[in-house]
Amino acid sequence: MFWTSLHKDITYRLEKQNHTLYDEVQKVLRVNKEERHLRGGAATRQKYHPEIE
């Protein structure tokens, strides 16, 4: 439930209230989305093969 409210705040409401901050937040979210598959792969590798660094 918290995520839904947070997501709505940073995607809809913030754009109307502070467009400059909205643009900065969107950049951070875009980078996070582009990199999350890399972090997921690293976490899986660490879980199943902890000896490989």
Side-chain angles (χ1 to χ4, degrees), residues 3-35:
W3 172 248
T4 304
S5 177
L6 176 66
H7 182 265
K8 191 168 197 169
D9 286 343
I10 61 176
T11 55
Y12 299 111
R13 296 179 186 142
L14 185 60
E15 183 177 20
K16 294 176 183 170
Q17 292 186 358
N18 186 337
H19 196 73
T20 304
L21 181 58
Y22 170 81
D23 289 339
E24 291 180 37
V25 168
Q26 292 306 307
K27 288 178 189 175
V28 171
L29 291 175
R30 192 174 319 114
V31 169
N32 185 44
K33 189 173 182 178
E34 290 171 358
E35 295 176 349

